[in-house]
């Protein structure tokens, strides 16, 4: 059972009051309780079952411009007292930093509208097991499938954030997810793997187990007998589960910490056209049941919708209090990063996007982390399919795709098939003129 708000508020208030009595000029405290259960299957047999229950406190104290933090999972009154005493003693000997402070009071969230982020429903382990069995049975209906791995996770959490300026708020959230990984083998002993999954805030919104099992098998079988291709410059289409990674790179490149350190290729690019004029990008924290939705950021600052890119022009960085002060910018509620980040959908259909070029490489998986945020260079291993005149011809593997984000951003065409499956989402994406290294 998740601890209720009153219990967490009592501990948080105790921390803030005691920190003040012991000499802190400012302080903040986060009290978090989370419970998670996970069941994993492999080849129709139980592989692992696990449950975790975590209750902890994270405390930050300030003495002027000095700051230090401490955390513990022991919430007894005596331990909390010792914890706060140690934190304050550490703060006293910490060097001053002129940018240390709590967020401005006028930026703190005042009112919370329900986003329906918590589901009281609970699925027992026996039911989780039945779900996974059904998913694996659906995958094994295809004779090429020789192995499966499935997992089901349920987690629920509640937290309270408090600070010495009077902020005291929090909320509950829940998360349900299931996945199926399938391994296929054909008569030539070619073996491939792929997956499907579902993740939601509410249990009833999950895909049915036969859906994820069937899709995992289909995707895996399609990859059998891949070919190697010659190196060339070619247009590339990124599948939706890959195209969202482009947004993740953007988010890292426009974080205030990267900008303040001067380690981003997008430094000094506010109000500059970094994408083609057809591109709009939003970060929207108030989507009902959104996987990235939140009422405020990790500092208590209200998170409002931002249009990060407007007709190709970069309009905002992701600003927290500390790095915002370095940049002379106010926090826009992005301490801890983005919420629900997405490209606005394009105006062309998925099928028509495939037909834009006579020959296109369609990427379904990338391997490695090949993004250099300082230079904007991009290079990763990849697998996918060769597409000719809109038709998938054959699978492709053992290739490397490369480019530079400054050029890639300007050459993006988006399909109209945006769906909200993750906290970061993008439609199918075509990028013109990338380099492919093959055999």
């Amino acid at each position: 059972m998740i601890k209720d708000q009153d219990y967490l508020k009592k501990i948080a208030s105790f921390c803030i009051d005691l920190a003040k009595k012991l000499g802190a000029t400012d302080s903040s405290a986060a009290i978090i309780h989370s419970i998670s259960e996970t069941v994993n299957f492999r080849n129709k047999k139980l592989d692992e079952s696990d449950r975790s229950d975590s209750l902890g406190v994270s405390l930050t104290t300030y003495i002027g411009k000095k700051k230090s933090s401490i955390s513990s999972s022991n919430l007894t009154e005596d331990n909390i007292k010792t914890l706060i005493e140690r934190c304050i003693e550490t703060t006293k000997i910490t060097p001053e930093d002129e940018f240390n402070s709590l967020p401005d009071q006028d930026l703190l969230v005042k009112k919370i509208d329900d986003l329906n982020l918590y589901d009281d429903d609970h699925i027992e382990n026996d039911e989780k097991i039945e779900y996974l069995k059904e998913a694996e049975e659906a995958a094994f209906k295809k004779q090429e499938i020789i192995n499966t791995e499935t997992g089901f996770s349920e987690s629920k959490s509640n937290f309270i954030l408090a600070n010495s300026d009077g902020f005291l708020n929090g909320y509950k959230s829940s998360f349900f997810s299931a996945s199926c990984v399938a391994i296929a083998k054909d008569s030539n002993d070619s073996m491939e793997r792929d997956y499907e999954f579902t993740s939601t805030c509410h249990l009833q919104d999950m895909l049915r187990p036969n859906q994820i099992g069937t899709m995992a098998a289909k995707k895996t079988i399609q990859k059998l007998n891949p070919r190697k291709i010659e190196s060339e410059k070619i247009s590339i289409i990124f599948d939706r589960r890959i195209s969202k990674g482009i947004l993740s790179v953007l988010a890292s490149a426009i974080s205030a910490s990267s900008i303040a350190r001067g380690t981003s290729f997008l430094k000094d690019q506010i109000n500059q056209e970094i994408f083609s004029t057809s591109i709009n990008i939003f970060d929207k924290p108030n989507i009902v049941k959104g996987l990235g939705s939140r009422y405020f950021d990790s500092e208590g600052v209200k998170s409002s919708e931002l249009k990060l890119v407007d007709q190709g022009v970069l309009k905002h960085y992701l600003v927290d209090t500390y790095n915002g002060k370095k940049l002379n910018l106010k926090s826009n509620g992005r301490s801890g990063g983005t919420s629900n980040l997405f490209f606005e959908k394009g105006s062309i259909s998925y099928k028509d996007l495939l037909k834009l070029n006579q020959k296109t490489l369609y990427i379904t998986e990338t391997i490695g982390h090949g993004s250099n945020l300082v230079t904007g260079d991009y290079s990763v291993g990849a697998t996918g399919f060769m597409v000719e005149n809109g038709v998938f011809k054959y699978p492709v593997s053992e290739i490397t795709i490369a480019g530079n984000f400054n050029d890639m951003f300007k050459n993006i065409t988006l399909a109209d098939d945006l769906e909200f499956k993750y906290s970061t989402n993008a439609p199918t994406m075509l990028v013109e003129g990338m380099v492919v290294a093959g055999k």
Side-chain angles (χ1 to χ4, degrees), residues 7 11 14 72-83:
Y7 173 82
I11 297 174
F14 176 79
S72 176
S73 58
N74 183 346
L75 269 64
T76 63
E77 186 171 311
D78 286 344
N79 185 69
I80 290 177
K81 287 180 179 178
T82 302
L83 200 71

Side-chain angles (χ1 to χ4, degrees), residues 96-114:
E96 287 192 352
D97 185 332
E98 63 176 307
F99 303 111
N100 282 335
S101 75
L102 292 175
D104 296 342
Q105 290 189 52
D106 62 337
L107 298 179
L108 298 174
V109 70
K110 303 296 190 297
K111 180 184 176 184
I112 286 180
D113 297 319
D114 185 20

Side-chain angles (χ1 to χ4, degrees), residues 109 112-117 171 293-296 302-303:
V109 70
I112 286 180
D113 297 319
D114 185 20
L115 297 176
N116 202 5
L117 303 181
Y171 55 92
S293 292
R294 63 189 186 211
Y295 302 99
F296 49 84
K302 179 177 175 58
S303 297

Side-chain angles (χ1 to χ4, degrees), residues 79-187:
N79 185 69
I80 290 177
K81 287 180 179 178
T82 302
L83 200 71
I84 295 173
E85 289 170 353
R86 289 176 59 191
C87 193
I88 288 178
E89 289 305 311
T90 304
T91 306
K92 290 177 181 178
I93 60 173
T94 301
E96 287 192 352
D97 185 332
E98 63 176 307
F99 303 111
N100 282 335
S101 75
L102 292 175
D104 296 342
Q105 290 189 52
D106 62 337
L107 298 179
L108 298 174
V109 70
K110 303 296 190 297
K111 180 184 176 184
I112 286 180
D113 297 319
D114 185 20
L115 297 176
N116 202 5
L117 303 181
Y118 184 77
D119 183 5
D120 256 329
D121 284 348
H122 170 64
I123 178 169
E124 297 291 345
N125 266 11
D126 287 347
E127 297 175 88
K128 292 182 176 75
I129 288 171
E130 289 305 312
Y131 184 105
L132 299 181
K133 283 182 177 179
E134 188 176 334
E136 292 200 343
E137 285 170 1
F140 274 115
K141 285 182 180 179
K142 298 295 184 181
Q143 63 180 13
E144 294 92 343
I145 302 301
I146 61 168
N147 201 334
T148 55
E149 294 180 24
T150 53
F152 194 116
S153 295
E154 172 186 352
S155 63
K156 297 183 179 181
S157 65
N158 195 7
F159 83 100
I160 285 293
L161 177 67
N163 72 28
S164 52
D165 282 339
F167 184 85
L168 183 66
N169 219 324
Y171 55 92
K172 296 192 291 186
S173 59
S174 57
F175 181 73
F176 300 85
S177 68
S179 63
C180 178
V181 177
I183 298 175
K185 182 178 181 180
D186 65 9
S187 57

Side-chain angles (χ1 to χ4, degrees), residues 11-254:
I11 297 174
S13 297
F14 176 79
C15 291
I16 298 300
D17 292 342
L18 184 57
K20 183 176 181 180
K21 289 178 182 177
L22 293 177
T25 55
D26 287 303
S27 61
S28 65
I31 317 298
I32 305 169
H33 185 214
S34 62
I35 298 174
S36 65
E37 295 180 351
T38 301
V39 176
N40 294 317
F41 256 61
R42 187 192 302 268
N43 278 339
K44 302 181 183 178
K45 293 181 180 179
L46 181 64
D47 187 48
E48 182 182 14
S49 180
D50 180 63
R51 187 180 194 274
S52 65
D53 190 326
S54 173
L55 178 62
V57 55
S58 295
L59 179 76
T60 300
T61 58
Y62 299 80
I63 298 177
K65 293 299 181 179
K66 298 179 178 182
K67 169 188 170 184
S68 66
S69 300
I70 197 167
S71 62
S72 176
S73 58
N74 183 346
L75 269 64
T76 63
E77 186 171 311
D78 286 344
N79 185 69
I80 290 177
K81 287 180 179 178
T82 302
L83 200 71
I84 295 173
E85 289 170 353
R86 289 176 59 191
C87 193
I88 288 178
E89 289 305 311
T90 304
T91 306
K92 290 177 181 178
I93 60 173
T94 301
E96 287 192 352
D97 185 332
E98 63 176 307
F99 303 111
N100 282 335
S101 75
L102 292 175
D104 296 342
Q105 290 189 52
D106 62 337
L107 298 179
L108 298 174
V109 70
K110 303 296 190 297
K111 180 184 176 184
I112 286 180
D113 297 319
D114 185 20
L115 297 176
N116 202 5
L117 303 181
Y118 184 77
D119 183 5
D120 256 329
D121 284 348
H122 170 64
I123 178 169
E124 297 291 345
N125 266 11
D126 287 347
E127 297 175 88
K128 292 182 176 75
I129 288 171
E130 289 305 312
Y131 184 105
L132 299 181
K133 283 182 177 179
E134 188 176 334
E136 292 200 343
E137 285 170 1
F140 274 115
K141 285 182 180 179
K142 298 295 184 181
Q143 63 180 13
E144 294 92 343
I145 302 301
I146 61 168
N147 201 334
T148 55
E149 294 180 24
T150 53
F152 194 116
S153 295
E154 172 186 352
S155 63
K156 297 183 179 181
S157 65
N158 195 7
F159 83 100
I160 285 293
L161 177 67
N163 72 28
S164 52
D165 282 339
F167 184 85
L168 183 66
N169 219 324
Y171 55 92
K172 296 192 291 186
S173 59
S174 57
F175 181 73
F176 300 85
S177 68
S179 63
C180 178
V181 177
I183 298 175
K185 182 178 181 180
D186 65 9
S187 57
N188 296 322
D189 288 336
S190 170
M191 295 177 66
E192 296 292 338
R193 67 186 294 279
D194 213 312
Y195 68 92
E196 185 56 88
F197 78 100
T198 179
S199 59
T200 61
C201 288
H202 287 247
L203 179 62
Q204 66 180 10
D205 295 332
M206 295 180 72
L207 294 177
R208 297 304 308 153
N210 64 305
Q211 290 176 287
I212 66 169
T214 299
M215 286 304 300
K218 180 180 178 181
K219 290 178 178 179
T220 305
I221 292 168
Q222 288 175 336
K223 294 171 70 173
L224 288 169
N225 287 312
R227 301 183 192 178
K228 296 179 182 180
I229 59 173
E230 299 289 341
S231 299
E232 61 179 318
K233 194 171 184 178
I234 189 173
S235 294
I236 287 180
I237 292 178
F238 292 96
D239 185 79
R240 285 180 295 194
R241 65 185 185 184
I242 306 301
S243 61
K244 70 184 182 68
I246 303 298
L247 275 181
S248 298
V249 171
L250 173 71
S252 296
I254 63 173

Side-chain angles (χ1 to χ4, degrees), residues 123 153 164 166 173 206 265 306-307 322 330 351 356 384 390:
I123 178 169
S153 295
S164 52
S173 59
M206 295 180 72
F265 68 97
L306 289 181
K307 194 171 187 179
Y322 178 80
K330 281 196 171 186
K351 288 185 177 180
L356 279 181

Side-chain angles (χ1 to χ4, degrees), residues 363-427:
I363 300 300
T364 58
E365 183 179 7
T366 56
I367 304 160
H369 302 281
S371 302
N372 186 324
L373 292 182
V374 178
T375 64
D377 289 332
Y378 174 72
S379 178
V380 292
T383 61
F385 297 87
M386 186 59 70
V387 178
E388 296 177 7
N389 299 315
V391 178
F392 286 77
K393 289 296 185 179
Y394 52 85
V396 173
S397 68
E398 297 184 39
I399 59 172
T400 299
I401 57 175
N404 184 281
F405 287 112
N406 289 300
D407 299 322
M408 292 168 62
F409 287 171
K410 293 285 184 66
N411 290 288
I412 287 176
T413 302
L414 298 173
D416 63 0
D417 60 349
L418 176 69
E419 64 175 4
F420 289 86
K421 193 173 182 179
Y422 313 85
S423 57
T424 298
N425 297 280

